[in-house]
């Protein structure tokens, strides 16, 4: 099906698609850089970019947001693997925590993917905005008052955290980096170690999340020819090459910037992306 679609595209079609292709190439580079730098899968960039792109392409509103989220999760699979590998080599990934979170995170992702079958696009956007704004406020204004306690809670509470991370990430189309960073730093985690561990969480989230969105969108009306459920194959293919090229650069920057520089940069980034969705919710 995809091969027939590609062969049917004429030179004129390619020229018309050139701006879209260029946008995805640039977005891919930004996604990879942010994945390495902030331990996120890049969904905070890819979801709004894909959402706007699918609007330009004329996709129905009923599938536009879930397709942006599902395709974002697909992009996060190789991005998070590449980022986590880079941070693991530097010894800053909390593997014990990742092992504890493996099952609850996946269960949360599957629940979020099922909700995606029925939820209005505003649900996705509101979850994204709420998490991004709280995290940005903490990073930019944080001090002792933004700490729940020193040290992580017990295993039972941590498992609940894992399920919440998986659920919200599946709805937001992100690798869980923003939520993981928020929870860990609220417990006194060093920002660099939180970022590294968040990259590993992205690996736990991306694969089941992608499969869940493929299932959730399978057979839905209004999907484009290249879609596998709520995942756009062509968008994925055009974004990945530059994403993989820039991830390692982001990892190097994360381990060279100061703690405060990382917090400020991540906070400002989250404010910008949240503002984009607030604008859309308000009908801007």
């Amino acid at each position: 099906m995809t091969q027939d679609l590609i062969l049917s595209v004429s030179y004129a079609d390619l020229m018309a698609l050139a701006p879209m292709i260029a946008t995805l190439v640039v977005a891919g580079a930004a996604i990879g850089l942010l994945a390495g730098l902030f331990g996120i899968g890049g969904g905070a960039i890819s979801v709004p970019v894909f959402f706007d792109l699918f609007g330009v392409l004329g996709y129905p509103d009923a599938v536009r947001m879930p397709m942006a989220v599902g395709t974002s999760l697909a992009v996060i699979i190789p991005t998070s693997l590449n980022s986590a590998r880079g941070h693991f080599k530097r010894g800053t990934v909390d593997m014990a925590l990742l092992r504890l979170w493996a099952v609850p995170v996946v269960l949360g992702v599957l629940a979020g993917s099922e909700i995606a079958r029925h939820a209005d696009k505003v649900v996705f956007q509101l979850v994204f905005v709420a998490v991004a704004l709280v995290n940005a406020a903490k990073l930019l204004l944080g001090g002792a008052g933004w700490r729940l306690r020193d040290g992580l809670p017990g295993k039972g509470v941590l498992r609940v955290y894992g399920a919440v991370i998986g659920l919200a990430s599946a709805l937001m189309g992100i690798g869980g980096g923003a939520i993981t960073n928020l929870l860990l730093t609220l417990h006194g985690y060093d920002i660099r170690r939180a970022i590294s561990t968040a990259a590993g969480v992205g690996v736990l989230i991306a694969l089941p999340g992608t499969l869940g969105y493929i299932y959730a969108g399978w057979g839905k009306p209004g999907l484009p020819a290249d879609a596998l459920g709520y995942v756009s194959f062509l968008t994925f293919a055009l974004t990945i090459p530059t994403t993989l090229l820039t991830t390692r650069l982001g990892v190097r920057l994360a381990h060279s910037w100061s703690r405060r520089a990382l917090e400020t940069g991540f906070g400002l980034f989250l404010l910008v992306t949240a503002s984009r969705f607030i604008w859309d919710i308000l009908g801007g």
Side-chain angles (χ1 to χ4, degrees):
M1 176 183 67
T2 302
Q3 183 178 7
D4 293 339
L5 176 68
I6 294 173
L7 291 175
S8 67
V9 176
S10 67
Y11 177 78
D13 292 330
L14 287 175
M15 290 300 98
L17 291 173
M20 180 194 81
I21 295 171
T23 298
L24 291 176
V25 168
V26 173
I31 290 166
L33 181 66
L34 293 168
L37 180 58
F38 296 134
I40 61 176
I45 282 286
S46 57
V47 170
V49 168
F50 295 164
F51 180 74
D52 286 340
L53 173 65
F54 296 155
V56 171
L57 293 175
Y59 294 177
D61 284 344
V63 303
R64 185 177 163 197
M65 189 64 185
M67 273 202 70
V69 173
T71 306
S72 172
L73 287 167
V75 170
I76 288 169
I77 296 175
T79 302
S80 292
L81 283 169
N82 204 20
S83 176
R85 180 172 173 269
H87 286 290
F88 179 77
K89 286 183 175 180
R90 295 172 182 265
T92 50
V93 178
D94 190 335
M95 294 303 298
L97 183 57
L98 290 181
R99 285 191 290 269
L100 180 67
W101 271 348
V103 173
V105 165
V106 171
L107 291 177
V109 168
L110 294 177
S113 301
E114 180 61 24
I115 291 172
R117 292 173 61 87
H118 313 289
D120 186 87
K121 72 169 187 176
V122 175
V123 173
F124 300 83
Q125 294 169 325
L126 287 174
V127 172
F128 196 108
V129 168
V131 172
L133 288 180
V134 171
N135 206 1
K138 179 198 171 297
L139 290 167
L140 295 173
L141 307 173
W146 284 89
R147 184 168 297 181
L148 293 176
R149 56 177 287 181
D150 288 322
L152 294 177
K155 289 185 178 180
V157 176
L158 283 175
R159 289 190 178 96
V160 173
Y161 281 0
V164 170
I165 290 170
L167 175 66
S169 298
L171 290 175
M172 295 166 67
I174 64 173
I179 309 170
T180 303
N181 271 291
L182 175 62
L183 290 174
L184 291 181
T185 52
L186 282 173
H187 288 279
Y189 242 58
D190 174 73
I191 182 67
R192 191 170 286 107
R193 186 165 170 79
I195 283 172
S196 299
T197 304
V201 172
V203 179
L204 298 177
I205 289 171
L207 183 55
T210 301
L211 294 175
Y213 271 80
I214 290 174
Y215 168 74
W218 198 265
K220 291 284 187 179
L223 294 175
D226 70 303
L228 295 173
Y230 283 139
V231 175
S232 168
F233 174 78
L234 289 180
T235 303
F236 171 85
L238 289 170
T239 306
I240 285 301
T242 50
T243 296
L244 297 180
L245 286 175
T246 55
T247 300
R248 291 183 181 180
L249 172 60
V251 171
R252 287 199 297 271
L253 289 175
H255 288 269
S256 63
W257 283 15
S258 70
R259 173 179 174 273
R260 189 58 194 150
L262 281 171
E263 291 175 338
T264 302
F266 197 9
L268 291 173
F269 165 73
L270 289 170
L271 276 182
V272 171
T273 53
S275 298
R276 163 65 188 84
F277 279 116
I278 291 172
W279 178 262
D280 188 73
I281 291 170
L282 295 178

